[in-house]
Amino acid sequence: MAKVFDIVGKVGLGIAALGAIANQALYTVHGGQRAVIFDRFSGVHEEVVGEGTHFLLPWIQRPIIFDIRSRPFNVPVITGSKDLQNVHITLRILFRPTPELLPKIYMNLGVDYEERVLPSITNEVLKAVVAQFDASDLITQREVASQRVNDSLTERASSFGLVLDDIALTHLTFG
């Protein structure tokens, strides 16, 4: 009887070890997400992994999961107008990464890419556009200013692999 329990214990231990390895070898990419695989030997794979459950080599490969749905990002900026008045602007941006460029985004910018890119390009574009208008013109020609910001910012963001779905001037005050 002791031999039977010994064999059952060894089989159970083997099954538990196999289950632990299988658990480490599977990962899930949920809807609205994509994954990039980092390999300890070959680096970041160029292939972007879609939704579903996938295999990887435990302890050698690691998935980096990205959300590819549109997300909001608010950027407050203080800049000067053409007539040298301080203008406080808050810009709301709906952005998402380009799925095909996720390996490049991860290698160049990391997983916190929006914190690295959006504030700097938003400051640059807003200061350039607002400097073309007087303070009173910003109020009367808000749509024109907003369209110029939209065009310039969309162009700048595309060079970083970001798609801007919507850009809105949500707050505009003068100092």
Side-chain angles (χ1 to χ4, degrees):
M1 191 67 151
K3 284 187 176 184
V4 171
F5 285 127
D6 190 39
I7 292 172
V8 169
K10 288 180 182 177
V11 169
L13 188 61
I15 290 174
L18 188 62
I21 291 172
N23 187 37
Q24 293 291 319
L26 294 174
Y27 68 99
T28 301
V29 179
H30 298 287
Q33 296 179 335
R34 296 293 181 271
V36 174
I37 301 298
F38 174 77
D39 189 307
R40 292 181 193 263
F41 299 117
S42 63
V44 177
H45 291 194
E46 291 296 320
E47 175 186 327
V48 176
V49 181
E51 300 167 358
T53 301
H54 306 280
F55 291 101
L56 56 78
L57 300 173
W59 304 290
I60 295 173
Q61 294 178 331
R62 170 173 63 97
I64 295 97
I65 308 290
F66 286 92
D67 190 358
I68 60 165
R69 295 173 289 196
S70 288
R71 292 179 286 157
F73 193 84
N74 290 325
V75 183
V77 177
I78 299 172
T79 185
S81 64
K82 188 176 182 181
D83 57 353
L84 302 178
Q85 285 197 37
N86 280 341
V87 181
H88 300 264
I89 298 176
T90 302
L91 196 66
R92 184 190 49 86
I93 302 169
L94 283 177
F95 74 97
R96 59 188 164 86
T98 305
E100 301 82 37
L101 299 178
L102 285 175
K104 178 185 163 204
I105 290 171
Y106 178 69
M107 285 189 292
N108 295 334
L109 302 169
V111 293
D112 60 342
Y113 58 90
E114 70 272 7
E115 294 289 336
R116 295 173 186 251
V117 173
L118 291 177
S120 61
I121 65 173
T122 302
N123 275 325
E124 176 188 335
V125 168
L126 272 176
K127 288 180 188 230
V129 171
V130 170
Q132 299 171 3
F133 293 91
D134 289 332
S136 61
D137 291 341
L138 280 173
I139 295 172
T140 59
Q141 298 178 1
R142 187 173 179 149
E143 294 82 22
V144 174
S146 181
Q147 187 60 44
R148 286 187 188 172
V149 168
N150 190 349
D151 295 342
S152 298
L153 204 53
T154 301
E155 182 181 331
R156 289 283 290 136
S158 68
S159 66
F160 292 100
L162 298 177
V163 176
L164 303 183
D165 292 327
D166 184 44
I167 299 169
L169 298 173
T170 58
H171 185 71
L172 180 64
T173 58
F174 303 100

